[in-house]
Amino acid sequence: MNLYTSDVICITETHLTHEICDAEIALEGFVHHRHDRDFSMNSDGFEPSHGGGSIIYVRESLDSCLLESFKCIDSLAISITTNLGRLNVACVYRSPSLTATHNKNILDSLTCLVNCKTECLILGDFNLPDVSWVTGSVNAPMCTTNRNLVTQENFMNFVHSSGLNWCITDEVTRRRAFQDTVQESTLDQILCTNDDLVNDFSIVSPLGKSDHVSIVIDLNVCSDSKVDVSND
């Protein structure tokens, strides 16, 4: 994938820290916004845990700004001016190791975003391995008390109650070798407040050594030029 043909590039699980300066990760012709992991997975921890984080690159020619009001862990959102008005684009990483409080932060942040009466595109690695995106439901026993399954059900309740549409159904977005087998799963997703926002998307090669595919999204909006969004 040629990153320079995209207008907006969203990357999750960046593993960036304050020791890596902006100049080291700059792309010519783009401005970028980053949210490095700034919390500890352990309740008694003081230093940020390793991993996580997200970054969004935006072509300099686009009228865009960071949404400072979007306070979501490991994630961030921007607003772009398009021919149809403002479009909010959120890049979300939800670690499977989050606490209940962390997961609530994500759902609360996303709820505020979709309730702001601006069209939204929410991209990222949501780590919902038990969700069937064909049916829009969690593969779980009725009234399960399993914490992981309940977390996934809560997320899907948010998706449905917010009226969000999703684009990916049965496509594999992550492949990884585990012991003597290859695990395939759908962990990444494209969510939008308006089904007409997304014209098409395509699955392409991973970025670098990632075990997740890259997803190129063609949107039905434009600024001075067509806005494509690439998500890894």
Side-chain angles (χ1 to χ4, degrees):
M1 179 182 67
N2 185 351
L3 294 178
Y4 291 93
T5 63
S6 298
D7 292 323
V8 180
I9 303 165
C10 299
I11 303 175
T12 60
E13 207 169 359
T14 56
H15 291 224
L16 297 178
T17 70
H18 67 278
E19 296 177 348
I20 301 174
C21 67
D22 285 345
E24 295 180 80
I25 56 175
L27 291 179
E28 184 178 356
F30 290 81
V31 297
H32 68 263
H33 306 281
R34 59 191 278 188
H35 185 178
D36 304 344
R37 175 164 288 175
D38 54 6
F39 67 97
S40 173
M41 290 288 193
N42 302 316
S43 58
D44 57 349
F46 296 99
E47 293 295 323
S49 300
H50 177 71
S54 297
I55 190 168
I56 300 178
Y57 291 89
V58 190
R59 192 171 294 280
E60 290 177 340
S61 60
L62 297 181
D63 177 17
S64 68
C65 64
L66 179 69
L67 283 179
E68 300 282 359
S69 59
F70 186 69
K71 304 293 186 181
C72 186
I73 59 175
D74 274 342
S75 311
L76 72 164
I78 62 170
S79 182
I80 305 172
T81 299
T82 75
N83 60 318
L84 301 179
R86 300 298 292 183
L87 171 66
N88 293 337
V89 179
C91 178
V92 178
Y93 174 64
R94 192 195 77 82
S95 168
S97 304
L98 295 181
T99 66
T101 300
H102 293 146
N103 279 298
K104 185 178 184 301
N105 165 265
I106 293 177
L107 291 182
D108 288 348
S109 300
L110 292 177
T111 298
C112 289
L113 185 69
V114 300
N115 286 342
C116 69
K117 298 183 179 179
T118 300
E119 298 289 12
C120 295
L121 188 69
I122 304 171
L123 317 168
D125 177 3
F126 299 100
N127 276 303
L128 304 171
D130 297 293
V131 169
S132 167
W133 291 103
V134 175
T135 62
S137 60
V138 179
N139 297 318
M142 187 174 295
C143 301
T144 181
T145 58
N146 179 283
R147 187 174 68 87
N148 182 41
L149 294 176
V150 170
T151 296
Q152 295 180 72
E153 288 181 337
N154 289 340
F155 193 94
M156 292 310 296
N157 288 338
F158 153 74
V159 170
H160 291 298
S161 64
S162 301
L164 292 174
N165 303 288
W166 58 87
C167 299
I168 298 173
T169 52
D170 55 358
E171 291 85 355
V172 172
T173 67
R174 186 186 71 169
R175 290 185 177 89
R176 69 169 182 172
F178 181 74
Q179 295 179 349
D180 296 328
T181 63
V182 175
Q183 292 183 336
E184 296 184 336
S185 49
T186 303
L187 301 183
D188 306 86
Q189 188 54 264
I190 307 163
L191 303 172
C192 53
T193 52
N194 186 336
D195 200 30
D196 292 331
L197 276 176
V198 177
N199 178 51
D200 197 10
F201 73 92
S202 55
I203 304 293
V204 297
S205 301
L207 182 64
K209 297 181 179 180
S210 175
D211 57 4
H212 289 250
V213 301
S214 296
I215 305 168
V216 179
I217 308 165
D218 180 22
L219 300 181
N220 286 317
V221 298
C222 64
S223 181
D224 293 333
S225 60
K226 182 175 69 174
V227 178
D228 293 327
V229 180
S230 298
N231 173 59
D232 178 73

